[in-house]
Amino acid sequence: MAGGTERTAAPRDRFPRLGTSPVAAAVLTGTVALSMVLVAFGNITDFGTNQQFVQHVLAMDTTFKDPQLMWRAITSPVLQNAAYLAIIVWEVLSAAVLVLATWLWAVGLRRNTLDRARRASSAGLVMVLLLFGAGFFGIGGEWFAMWQSSDWNGLDSALRYVVLAGLALVVVHLPAGARQAD
């Protein structure tokens, strides 16, 4: 530089621009976090609505009642409620991890240290994929034949979460071009 003085970056240059992949990853992580917080909050504050859903899915009482499948039904209210409580606990844990990940993104974007945010996002997003992919698609949809029920079928709703979490997971791991080492 002329006159022997170095020019320092303006403070705004330390913050990533809106269109960058790290900002997109942060926003998507925050979106899934908010969604999971609201899902968990709804299941806790309106316990009975989705409790009925879980009971009907596990009891398989609105499926085709194929004798080849009905042995899978769980009709014990104790086991049904235990399953529902396990789902809520998993939702709360997923939400907590994703809220932490969102905070780590906010801090990491300012400091240009994103590795912890990526790891936390990955953990939380995989938790969401396990809940809605393995839990709703695999266990609910296939094992308990939820796809057969016109009244108690959560596959469409679960698909939205699987797609959103899967997309977020991909964006979290996109290369950011000439990204500096985390």
Side-chain angles (χ1 to χ4, degrees):
M1 297 259 161
T5 61
E6 287 189 35
R7 186 173 167 197
T8 59
R12 69 173 186 245
D13 291 343
R14 287 183 275 183
F15 293 96
R17 302 214 190 289
L18 187 58
T20 64
S21 60
V23 172
V27 169
L28 280 167
T29 298
T31 300
V32 180
L34 174 63
S35 182
M36 290 307 298
V37 165
L38 294 174
V39 165
F41 180 79
N43 283 340
I44 292 167
T45 60
D46 183 20
F47 189 85
T49 299
N50 282 326
Q51 179 187 31
Q52 289 179 45
F53 171 83
V54 171
Q55 287 173 336
H56 285 289
V57 169
L58 296 180
M60 300 174 67
D61 58 1
T62 60
T63 64
F64 301 161
K65 304 229 185 337
D66 181 341
Q68 300 286 333
L69 299 178
M70 291 309 291
W71 64 270
R72 300 175 183 178
I74 297 175
T75 57
S76 164
V78 171
L79 292 177
Q80 292 170 341
N81 288 333
Y84 184 46
L85 288 173
I87 290 168
I88 292 173
V89 167
W90 193 259
E91 290 168 348
V92 169
L93 291 173
S94 300
V97 170
L98 288 166
V99 167
L100 171 64
T102 302
W103 180 80
L104 290 171
W105 277 108
V107 170
L109 287 168
R110 286 192 298 264
R111 296 180 183 164
N112 199 26
T113 56
L114 303 175
D115 192 50
R116 291 178 66 197
R118 274 193 194 88
R119 283 194 313 265
S121 286
S122 295
L125 293 167
V126 167
M127 291 173 76
V128 171
L129 290 171
L130 285 170
L131 175 63
F132 291 105
F136 279 72
F137 286 170
I139 296 169
E142 294 302 322
W143 185 257
F144 291 106
M146 180 171 56
W147 65 270
Q148 294 179 3
S149 177
S150 59
D151 297 323
W152 301 101
N153 186 337
L155 294 175
D156 287 342
S157 178
L159 178 62
R160 289 189 294 269
Y161 290 100
V162 167
V163 169
L164 180 60
L167 173 65
L169 192 59
V170 168
V171 171
V172 162
H173 290 281
L174 281 177
R179 176 175 60 206
Q180 293 177 347
D182 293 341

